[in-house]
Amino acid sequence: MRSRFYSSLTISIFFLLIASANFYSQPKNNTQNNSVTGRVVDLQTNTPIEFATVVLIRRADSTQVTGAATDTKGQFVLENVPAGTYFMRISYVGYKNHLVKSFKKENGKPVSLGKISLTPSDMKMNDIVVSGTRSPISYQIDKKVISVGENLSTISGTAVDVLENVPSITVDIDGNVSLRGSGNFQVLIDGRPTILDPNEALQQIQASSIENIEIITNPSAKYDPEGTAGIINIIMKKTNKWGITSLFNLNLGVRNKYGGDATADFRNNFIQANLGIGYNNRVFFGTQNENNWNNADGQTYYYKSDGTSNHGNESFNLRGSVSFDFGAKRLLTLGGRYNNRSHSDNSALNYSQWNTMDPAQQYFISKSEGSRSGHEISVFGNYKHPFNDSGHELVAEVHYDAETSDESSTNKLFSGEIITDGKTTTENGPGNELQTKLDYTLPFTSVSKFEAGYQGTHENSDDKTGLLTFNPATQLFENNSLYDNHSKYAKNDYALYSIYTSKIDSLGYKLGVRTEYTGRDIEVPEMNEKFSIDRWDYFPSAHFSFGIGAGYQLMASYTRRINRPRDWQMEPFQTWIDAYNVRVGNPSLQPEYIDSYELGFQTLIGNSVFSIDTYYRQTKNKIERVLSVYSETVTLQTTKNIGKDYSLGVELFSNFDPIKNWNVNLMGNIYNYKIEGSPADNIETNQSFNWNARFNNSIKIAENTQVQVNVWYNSPSATSQGNREGFFITNFAIKQQLFDKLITATLQVRDILGTAKFQIVNQSPDFYSLRHFERESPMVMLNLRLNLSNNSNNDHGEEGMQNNNGGDDQGGMNGGGEG
C-alpha cells in the first residue's frame, strides 16, 4: 500500500515538473506594461465566462492583431500589444457578440478594460433594461447549466420534475432519474455530496429553492469518480445583492399536494449570510396491473393482479451558511443543512392465481403498506486563501454528514375479511460520512495553470434487518429470528489528483490523473463472517477545446469512472422486500469501470443556439439486478456482474425564436444501447435503439403574462432481462406577475392528455413478469411567489464578496473551493 501511495505522489510531482518546465521556458521579458486585460462575465448572474473568444482589432484598417480565450475566472490577457487605437470583439456560444468601442493604447502603459458583461442571446436590451427571458439551458466547457427559474411547468415540484426537461436526463413514471440511460450517478448539493441515495435526495429538494442545476457527464480528475454516468449538481438559491433580500413560495395542488419555502439573505462588506426553510407534501395516485408466471417443482404457476396504489413524499428542510470576508479575498464559510423526510407506498390489489395441475382460479386481496423515514444532518467549513490576485490559492474544506433511516413494509393477504397470510419486513440503522479536502491552484500564465489536491472520505453504517410473519392461530405478526441480521460497514477512501491546463493558439487542453485507494470492511456478526476490500484505482481525464472562429466551439473529452457496489448489494443473507420478493446480496461483487468519450460542437446562428454532442460509453463488470424463481409465487432478486454494456449516441439542442415573444427549445437524444450478458445468469445479449425528444415552448402573451407548453417522449428501451415501453407527456403552465412584479402566480397542469403510462417486462426461461402502471392525470398545482428585496438595485457582486456557491469550472464554489 505504501509503495502505491508513493507512486501516486510521483505522478503528481511529474505533472508539476511538466508545468514548471513550461513556465520556465516562457520568455522572461516584462510584457505587463504592454498588455490589455479584462474580465468577461454573464450580465444577469455576474458569473465568469470561461473560453469566451477575445479578438483585438486595429481601428485604422480593421485587421485582427491578436486574440485570446478567457480563463476559469473570465479573465484575459493580451500581451505585447503595440501602441495604437483599437476596438475589441468578444463572443461566446449562447451570448450576443459584444463590441468594445475604440480605445487607445500608449507605448509602455497597460490598458485594463475592467468587467465586460455579455448578454444571453435571447435577451432584448433597451436602455439596459432586460425585457426578454434567459435561455433555461446554457453550455460551458464541461457541463450544462439549467436555469430553474425559467421552467414554469415545474416550479411547484421537486428537482426530479425539473430534470424531466433537461438534455441527457430521462425520468420514468416512478420518478427514477437516468443520466444518459444510467441510473448510477452522483448528486451534489451546492457542490457537496449527500449521504442519501441519489434519487431520494432529488425527491427531497423543492424546485422553487433551486437556482441552477449543473449536468456534468464527463467530470475531470478533480471530481470524485464515483458514478458511471456523471454528476448532477444542485445549486441552491442565494443572492449577490447587498442588504436584506427574501423570497417566499407557496404551492397548492389537488389531492394532498402542498408545500412552501422561504429564503432570506443578508450581505455587507464583511459578512454574507443566508437561511432557507421548506416543507413539501406530495401524494401520487395511480392504477396498476401485473401478469406473472413462474416455473417451479415441474409446474407453472400463474398469478394476475389489478388495483390501485399511491406513494407519497413528505419532507422538511432547513439550510444556512455564513461567509466572512477577511480581506485580500480570504473567505471563511460555515454552513449546514437539516432534512427530515418520510416516504410511503400503499396498494390494494385483487389477485387471481392457478397452476397447471390445478387450473381452478383462486381469488384473494393483497394490501400493502410501506414506509421509509429518517433525517439527515450535514455541516461544513470551507476556507479559501489566495496568495495573490492571479489565482494562486489554496482551498481547504471539512464536510460531515449523518443520517438515520427506518423502513418497514407490511403485506396482508385476505380471503374475504380474513387474513390468511402476511409479512412485515424491517430495516433500520444510522450512517455517517466525514470528508476532508485540499485543493491547490498555481497559475503560470494567463492560459496555463497547475492544480493538485487531496480528498479523504470515511464512512460508517450499522444496519439491522428483520422479518415478522403472520400467525393465523394468534392473528398476530410474530418475529422470525431466522431473518434477523446485523451488518456493520466501514469504508475509507484516499485520493490524490493533478491537473495541468494550458492553451496552444486556438487549442485549449486540460489533462489530469487521479488515484484512489479504497478500503472497505463488511461484518456480519450472526454469520461470523467478514468481507474486506483493499484496492487502488487510477482515473485519467483529458478535455480539449478548439475555437473555430468567433462563435464556434469544438470540444472533446475522455474520462474513466467507477461504480462501487452499494452496501446492501453485498449483504450475504436473505432479506424479504415484500410478500412476493426476496433479496440476497453478493459479497463477491466487483466494481464497474466506465470509459467515457465525448465530442461536442456549439455555435450561434444569428440569435439561435445550436449544439450537437456525440458520446460513447463502455462499462466493464456491468452490475445488474438478476431475477429468478424463489418459490411458487416469490421472485428472488440478487445482484451480479453480468458482463459489459455499450452506449453510442448523439444529443441535439437548439434554442431559437420563431417570432417575437415566442422562444422554443428543441432537445433530442438518440443512442444505441447494448448489453452483453452471461447465459449462465439467464442474461443474453440484448440491445435497443433508443431516443427521446422534448419540445418546450415559452410565449410572452402580455407584459406580465407568460405561457409554457412542454411536450416530451421517451422511446422503448432494453433492460438486462426484458424491455421498457415508451411513454409521452404534455405539460402546461401560465405565469402572471402582479403588483409591479411583487407577486408572481403560476398555474401548472401536468400530463394534460393522460398519456403518462409505464410498462416493463422481465423474463427468462423460468419466469415472466409484466407490470403496467398509470398515474393520476392531470395534476394541477398553483405556485404563489413573493419577492421582497431591500436595496435591490445595489449589486456589488464584482468587487465584494462572491457567492460561495457559484459556477466555476468545478461547479460548486465560487470563492469557496471546488464543488
Side-chain angles (χ1 to χ4, degrees):
M1 173 178 170
R2 180 176 298 177
S3 63
R4 291 181 177 178
F5 175 83
Y6 286 128
S7 68
S8 305
L9 186 60
T10 301
I11 293 173
S12 299
I13 296 173
F14 178 69
F15 266 79
L16 179 59
L17 291 175
I18 293 175
S20 301
N22 180 287
F23 170 63
Y24 286 111
S25 66
Q26 301 294 323
K28 297 303 186 291
N29 58 310
N30 184 8
T31 61
Q32 295 301 312
N33 290 335
N34 286 314
S35 66
V36 176
T37 61
R39 182 168 179 261
V40 181
V41 301
D42 182 291
L43 175 68
Q44 278 193 321
T45 65
N46 201 46
T47 55
I49 299 177
E50 182 184 6
F51 285 100
T53 303
V54 179
V55 179
L56 185 67
I57 302 171
R58 185 178 289 108
R59 181 180 176 182
D61 54 8
S62 297
T63 58
Q64 179 176 324
V65 178
T66 185
T70 56
D71 61 17
T72 58
K73 298 182 182 298
Q75 297 172 344
F76 64 87
V77 179
L78 305 178
E79 299 177 337
N80 296 316
V81 177
T85 303
Y86 303 92
F87 64 91
M88 182 180 290
R89 184 176 66 243
I90 303 175
S91 59
Y92 187 70
V93 175
Y95 292 83
K96 288 185 175 182
N97 289 343
H98 183 89
L99 194 66
V100 178
K101 295 182 179 180
S102 176
F103 63 91
K104 189 174 182 179
K105 169 69 177 63
E106 296 180 4
N107 189 34
K109 293 184 178 181
V111 173
S112 175
L113 299 176
K115 182 176 71 172
I116 302 169
S117 299
L118 297 192
T119 305
S121 60
D122 56 349
M123 293 173 59
K124 312 295 187 294
M125 299 300 293
N126 182 16
D127 296 331
I128 319 300
V129 176
V130 180
S131 61
T133 59
R134 183 185 178 190
S135 172
I137 301 172
S138 61
Y139 284 75
Q140 297 184 19
I141 185 66
D142 58 353
K143 61 192 172 188
K144 303 178 184 73
V145 182
I146 294 87
S147 177
V148 175
E150 301 302 330
N151 198 331
L152 304 184
S153 64
T154 61
I155 194 171
S156 295
T158 66
V160 172
D161 299 312
V162 177
L163 291 170
E164 289 179 350
N165 299 301
V166 172
S168 308
I169 299 289
T170 55
V171 182
D172 67 23
I173 298 301
D174 291 327
N176 298 309
V177 174
S178 297
L179 179 53
R180 284 188 175 164
S182 172
N184 187 268
F185 52 87
Q186 186 180 16
V187 169
L188 304 178
I189 301 175
D190 282 336
R192 299 179 181 88
T194 171
I195 201 170
L196 298 179
D197 175 82
N199 273 294
E200 186 174 0
L202 294 172
Q203 288 282 6
Q204 310 305 320
I205 303 173
Q206 290 167 277
S208 53
S209 65
I210 302 172
E211 182 70 29
N212 293 320
I213 296 180
E214 299 175 342
I215 307 298
I216 311 170
T217 51
N218 253 13
S220 71
K222 190 172 184 178
Y223 288 97
D224 186 338
E226 183 71 34
T228 62
I231 295 171
I232 299 176
N233 186 23
I234 309 295
I235 306 298
M236 307 302 287
K237 282 185 175 174
K238 295 178 179 67
T239 183
N240 274 334
K241 299 182 182 300
W242 284 31
I244 299 175
T245 59
S246 56
L247 186 68
F248 301 88
N249 284 281
L250 177 65
N251 302 315
L252 301 172
V254 297
R255 304 191 74 181
N256 289 336
K257 298 177 183 65
Y258 52 88
D261 65 88
T263 304
D265 292 84
F266 171 77
R267 183 177 181 186
N268 60 22
N269 283 315
F270 173 67
I271 190 172
Q272 178 179 356
N274 65 81
L275 179 67
I277 186 171
Y279 172 80
N280 194 33
N281 185 82
R282 288 159 67 87
V283 181
F284 301 92
F285 300 87
T287 60
Q288 69 178 66
N289 60 76
E290 292 190 37
N291 187 354
N292 306 272
W293 57 258
N294 289 341
N295 288 328
D297 303 325
Q299 299 184 48
T300 302
Y301 295 86
Y302 301 88
Y303 57 102
K304 294 183 178 181
S305 68
D306 64 85
T308 61
S309 65
N310 67 76
H311 69 272
N313 292 292
E314 183 180 21
S315 65
F316 169 79
N317 60 80
L318 182 68
R319 69 184 190 278
S321 67
V322 57
S323 298
F324 303 95
D325 192 338
F326 297 106
K329 298 185 179 180
R330 294 173 301 163
L331 193 66
L332 173 65
T333 303
L334 304 173
R337 63 178 183 267
Y338 169 79
N339 179 52
N340 190 304
R341 67 195 187 280
S342 64
H343 174 82
S344 63
D345 280 297
N346 303 292
S347 65
L349 304 176
N350 299 304
Y351 270 83
S352 61
Q353 68 179 38
W354 66 98
N355 59 64
T356 50
M357 293 292 292
D358 184 8
Q361 294 192 27
Q362 300 177 10
Y363 299 93
F364 58 93
I365 297 174
S366 170
K367 294 184 179 180
S368 297
E369 297 179 353
S371 66
R372 185 173 66 251
S373 62
H375 66 263
E376 178 196 19
I377 298 175
S378 175
V379 294
F380 71 90
N382 181 289
Y383 178 68
K384 175 183 176 182
H385 184 87
F387 296 99
N388 54 37
D389 292 332
S390 66
H392 185 198
E393 65 183 28
L394 179 68
V395 178
E397 178 164 314
V398 178
H399 173 237
Y400 177 77
D401 204 340
E403 71 148 352
T404 62
S405 179
D406 293 289
E407 185 173 352
S408 69
S409 176
T410 298
N411 178 262
K412 300 176 183 178
L413 302 183
F414 291 82
S415 178
E417 299 295 326
I418 301 174
I419 301 177
T420 59
D421 193 12
K423 289 182 175 66
T424 295
T425 63
T426 62
E427 184 171 355
N428 61 77
N432 62 76
E433 176 181 300
L434 175 66
Q435 187 179 94
T436 55
K437 295 172 59 179
L438 282 174
D439 295 302
Y440 174 73
T441 303
L442 175 63
F444 294 118
T445 69
S446 61
V447 295
S448 64
K449 66 178 180 179
F450 170 75
E451 298 173 83
Y454 160 83
Q455 177 177 309
T457 304
H458 311 272
E459 297 181 40
N460 292 280
S461 63
D462 197 330
D463 294 342
K464 296 180 180 179
T465 59
L467 175 69
L468 291 83
T469 55
F470 182 75
N471 186 337
T474 63
Q475 292 289 297
L476 296 173
F477 283 85
E478 300 174 353
N479 185 58
N480 188 336
S481 60
L482 292 175
Y483 295 95
D484 287 343
N485 287 290
H486 182 198
S487 303
K488 298 180 180 180
Y489 305 92
K491 178 182 173 185
N492 296 295
D493 293 336
Y494 303 99
L496 292 170
Y497 76 85
S498 299
I499 298 175
Y500 180 62
T501 305
S502 191
K503 191 172 186 291
I504 303 174
D505 295 329
S506 297
L507 175 65
Y509 60 91
K510 177 188 290 187
L511 305 176
V513 65
R514 184 184 183 102
T515 180
E516 288 197 353
Y517 167 75
T518 300
R520 176 186 285 185
D521 292 318
I522 304 174
E523 185 179 353
V524 186
E526 288 79 6
M527 301 178 66
N528 196 27
E529 288 187 297
K530 186 175 182 179
F531 307 91
S532 298
I533 296 173
D534 185 7
R535 183 180 59 247
W536 278 87
D537 293 299
Y538 295 88
F539 304 97
S541 70
H543 291 74
F544 301 94
S545 174
F546 186 73
I548 314 173
Y552 297 88
Q553 198 82 11
L554 185 67
M555 289 177 285
S557 63
Y558 162 78
T559 61
R560 186 171 188 256
R561 299 187 61 77
I562 189 172
N563 173 32
R564 299 179 179 90
R566 297 185 179 275
D567 295 337
W568 60 267
Q569 293 176 319
M570 304 179 72
E571 295 173 343
F573 48 79
Q574 292 184 3
T575 301
W576 283 85
I577 302 172
D578 54 38
Y580 304 99
N581 294 276
V582 64
R583 181 184 73 221
V584 176
N586 180 5
S588 62
L589 208 59
Q590 296 297 308
E592 294 178 336
Y593 292 98
I594 303 92
D595 293 294
S596 178
Y597 305 82
E598 290 189 11
L599 179 65
F601 173 75
Q602 289 88 40
T603 187
L604 190 65
I605 305 174
N607 289 327
S608 300
V609 178
F610 175 77
S611 74
I612 179 170
D613 292 286
T614 59
Y615 59 91
Y616 174 73
R617 187 175 68 224
Q618 176 180 300
T619 304
K620 300 176 183 178
N621 300 333
K622 175 65 176 175
I623 296 175
E624 278 284 318
R625 184 185 67 166
V626 177
L627 305 180
S628 59
V629 176
Y630 180 79
S631 66
E632 299 173 1
T633 58
V634 177
T635 300
L636 175 66
Q637 300 181 12
T638 189
T639 310
K640 295 184 179 182
N641 297 111
I642 62 152
K644 298 180 180 179
D645 76 351
Y646 308 86
S647 294
L648 174 64
V650 178
E651 284 182 350
L652 303 170
F653 172 78
S654 181
N655 183 307
F656 59 94
D657 297 332
I659 59 175
K660 184 179 180 181
N661 295 327
W662 179 15
N663 179 256
V664 172
N665 283 307
L666 288 175
M667 293 171 276
N669 184 20
I670 305 169
Y671 66 99
N672 187 70
Y673 179 67
K674 180 181 179 181
I675 298 177
E676 291 183 353
S678 167
D681 296 322
N682 291 325
I683 308 295
E684 304 291 344
T685 296
N686 196 8
Q687 66 178 344
S688 62
F689 178 77
N690 304 333
W691 64 280
N692 58 69
R694 297 171 175 87
F695 179 42
N696 300 334
N697 298 266
S698 182
I699 304 171
K700 188 175 182 180
I701 60 178
E703 178 64 26
N704 294 312
T705 308
Q706 186 178 352
V707 170
Q708 276 191 2
V709 179
N710 302 328
V711 181
W712 59 288
Y713 173 76
N714 280 345
S715 74
S717 178
T719 65
S720 60
Q721 290 183 295
N723 60 80
R724 173 191 56 76
E725 293 298 321
F727 56 90
F728 170 79
I729 295 178
T730 304
N731 302 323
F732 170 84
I734 181 169
K735 180 177 76 172
Q736 180 67 48
Q737 294 178 319
L738 306 167
F739 307 112
D740 196 23
K741 301 182 181 180
L742 177 67
I743 297 177
T744 301
T746 305
L747 179 67
Q748 306 147 72
V749 185
R750 297 172 60 77
D751 192 20
I752 300 174
L753 304 179
T755 55
K757 301 177 181 180
F758 176 82
Q759 181 170 300
I760 187 168
V761 173
N762 289 299
Q763 59 184 333
S764 79
D766 293 325
F767 74 91
Y768 173 89
S769 172
L770 180 150
R771 177 179 178 243
H772 181 90
F773 177 80
E774 297 184 21
R775 71 180 184 187
E776 63 173 306
S777 66
M779 289 187 288
V780 181
M781 296 286 291
L782 174 66
N783 173 267
L784 297 174
R785 172 172 294 186
L786 174 64
N787 191 349
L788 301 177
S789 178
N790 178 31
N791 200 20
S792 61
N793 292 322
N794 187 10
D795 189 344
H796 297 264
E798 168 65 11
E799 300 300 333
M801 185 185 302
Q802 294 293 313
N803 182 349
N804 76 309
N805 294 306
D808 66 355
D809 77 322
Q810 297 309 316
M813 300 297 298
N814 211 8
E818 177 207 287

